[in-house]
Amino acid sequence: MEKLKVLLHIDELAKWHLTLANAQNLLDDVGENQVQLEIVINAIAVKIFDAKATTDGDAKEHLINRMMLLSNRGADFVVCRNALRANSVNEEGLPPFVTVVPAGITRIVTRQAEGYSYVKP
Amino acid sequence: MEKLKVLLHIDELAKWHLTLANAQNLLDDVGENQVQLEIVINAIAVKIFDAKATTDGDAKEHLINRMMLLSNRGADFVVCRNALRANSVNEEGLPPFVTVVPAGITRIVTRQAEGYSYVKP
Amino acid sequence: MEKLKVLLHIDELAKWHLTLANAQNLLDDVGENQVQLEIVINAIAVKIFDAKATTDGDAKEHLINRMMLLSNRGADFVVCRNALRANSVNEEGLPPFVTVVPAGITRIVTRQAEGYSYVKP
């Protein structure tokens, strides 16, 4: 059977836990070999990667660890450069498993044109 | 003409009124014979079915009555088992018109692969 | 190449800035000649067009000016009549670049059936 193609969209900091739980439930339920999963991050949600932010350091580190585990299971994390600039997040400080694209919105709509399902947790 | 296939996704308790209003407007506008409508419920939104919750009892009963009316008009209500467990909601106490699936996220993406439109009110 | 077809959905007043930023980023990134962009407005988000609202007048005017600029670049703004009535917004007072449809939800799902990608900022 052809793999499921799935795009999760996150643009709020408060939705990180929910978004990663959806990703994990999907991989657990269908198996990482049966799904092509991409998480597209834009707007203020990119602040999770802000090395200068000092509050909630533990929560942030915990979330980035969860992302890395999902990345190891095949999930792709894609970040919007417009959002990085608008939120003063340094591109060089991003975790190695993250890919930067010029505009997250373009990625979201071209992926759907390629047959990806869209989910906004 | 082929029926419209529509999936509404709800994952926040505060979005119940808005989600059911969208469902009702759709059925009123196109007619229940012209649409296959499914509402997929995951994350904390499943707490609407928590029999132990004591606050907002009237609001909860009112919303569940509205769901029943929409169910009578052909709408399907689908609940995520992962979410029921994470929120300690007892599966046996669910209204009879509700269907439980192992993972709501899988349902959302497979329905889209089958041609359903996705809306997140 | 065929144009990208994109529908942005807004149903919260607080999401106007974010939604218009997504629209602008998309037009800037792919070019207005390469995309058919429609913004569908329902629920309380229609209150942006409420002439009687007195607070945040500057912010409202600023947002409507941004919409007009996007409209001049080819974006279509579509408003739900159900939402206008539910929020007591007078149809006659709408900006000239706005189109009214009977039910926003129907527009959202028929556009997807026509091949539009859906994004909910």
Side-chain angles (χ1 to χ4, degrees):
Chain A
M1 199 187 73
E2 206 186 348
K3 281 188 183 185
L4 279 171
K5 294 186 262 185
V6 178
L7 187 151
L8 299 182
H9 176 204
I10 174 166
D11 60 7
E12 294 178 76
L13 266 176
K15 295 293 173 67
W16 269 110
H17 176 80
L18 182 60
T19 300
L20 298 180
N22 272 279
Q24 189 173 331
N25 282 339
L26 180 64
L27 293 177
D28 289 350
D29 189 49
V30 303
E32 43 260 66
N33 296 323
Q34 304 301 319
V35 61
Q36 189 67 38
L37 173 59
E38 180 164 309
I39 294 105
V40 178
I41 307 148
N42 69 356
I44 201 169
V46 303
K47 282 218 168 222
I48 193 76
F49 301 121
D50 186 356
K52 298 181 302 298
T54 52
T55 51
D56 276 334
D58 284 357
K60 195 176 78 166
E61 199 176 330
H62 174 69
L63 288 168
I64 291 176
N65 281 337
R66 285 179 68 190
M67 288 183 219
M68 196 172 57
L69 293 173
L70 291 166
S71 168
N72 289 340
R73 297 177 70 185
D76 293 317
F77 289 84
V78 174
V79 176
C80 172
R81 181 170 289 133
N82 288 326
L84 291 173
R85 288 176 180 165
N87 291 282
S88 305
V89 177
N90 198 322
E91 207 166 310
E92 284 68 41
L94 294 174
F97 58 80
V98 167
T99 305
V100 179
V101 293
I105 181 71
T106 305
R107 182 73 165 214
I108 293 169
V109 300
T110 52
R111 281 306 202 196
Q112 285 186 71
E114 293 164 10
Y116 276 66
S117 296
Y118 171 86
V119 188
K120 180 78 187 299
Chain B
M1 199 186 75
E2 208 187 347
K3 281 188 185 187
L4 281 171
K5 294 187 261 185
V6 178
L7 187 151
L8 298 182
H9 176 204
I10 174 165
D11 60 8
E12 294 178 77
L13 266 176
K15 297 292 174 69
W16 269 109
H17 176 79
L18 182 60
T19 300
L20 298 182
N22 272 279
Q24 188 173 330
N25 282 341
L26 180 65
L27 293 178
D28 288 350
D29 190 48
V30 303
E32 42 259 66
N33 297 322
Q34 305 301 319
V35 61
Q36 188 67 39
L37 173 59
E38 180 165 308
I39 295 106
V40 177
I41 308 148
N42 68 355
I44 202 171
V46 304
K47 281 217 168 224
I48 193 76
F49 301 121
D50 186 356
K52 300 183 299 299
T54 52
T55 53
D56 276 335
D58 285 356
K60 196 175 78 169
E61 199 177 329
H62 174 70
L63 288 168
I64 291 177
N65 281 338
R66 285 180 68 189
M67 288 183 219
M68 197 173 56
L69 293 173
L70 291 166
S71 168
N72 289 341
R73 297 178 70 186
D76 293 317
F77 289 85
V78 174
V79 177
C80 171
R81 181 170 288 131
N82 287 327
L84 291 172
R85 288 177 179 162
N87 291 283
S88 305
V89 177
N90 198 322
E91 207 166 312
E92 284 70 38
L94 293 175
F97 58 80
V98 167
T99 305
V100 180
V101 293
I105 180 71
T106 306
R107 181 74 165 213
I108 292 169
V109 300
T110 52
R111 281 306 202 195
Q112 284 186 71
E114 292 164 11
Y116 276 67
S117 296
Y118 172 86
V119 187
K120 181 77 186 299
Chain C
M1 199 187 74
E2 207 185 348
K3 281 188 183 186
L4 280 171
K5 294 187 261 185
V6 178
L7 187 151
L8 299 182
H9 176 204
I10 174 165
D11 60 6
E12 293 178 78
L13 267 176
K15 296 291 173 67
W16 269 110
H17 176 79
L18 181 60
T19 301
L20 298 181
N22 272 279
Q24 189 173 330
N25 283 339
L26 180 65
L27 294 177
D28 289 350
D29 189 48
V30 304
E32 43 260 67
N33 297 321
Q34 305 301 319
V35 62
Q36 188 67 38
L37 173 59
E38 181 165 307
I39 295 106
V40 177
I41 308 148
N42 68 356
I44 201 169
V46 303
K47 281 218 170 223
I48 193 75
F49 301 120
D50 186 356
K52 299 181 301 298
T54 53
T55 53
D56 275 335
D58 285 357
K60 197 175 77 167
E61 199 176 330
H62 174 69
L63 288 169
I64 291 177
N65 281 338
R66 284 180 68 191
M67 288 183 219
M68 197 172 57
L69 294 173
L70 291 166
S71 167
N72 289 340
R73 296 178 70 186
D76 293 316
F77 289 83
V78 174
V79 176
C80 172
R81 181 169 289 133
N82 288 326
L84 291 173
R85 288 177 180 164
N87 291 283
S88 305
V89 177
N90 198 323
E91 205 165 312
E92 284 69 40
L94 294 174
F97 58 80
V98 167
T99 305
V100 179
V101 293
I105 179 73
T106 306
R107 181 73 164 214
I108 293 168
V109 300
T110 51
R111 281 307 200 195
Q112 285 186 71
E114 293 164 11
Y116 276 66
S117 295
Y118 171 87
V119 187
K120 180 78 185 300

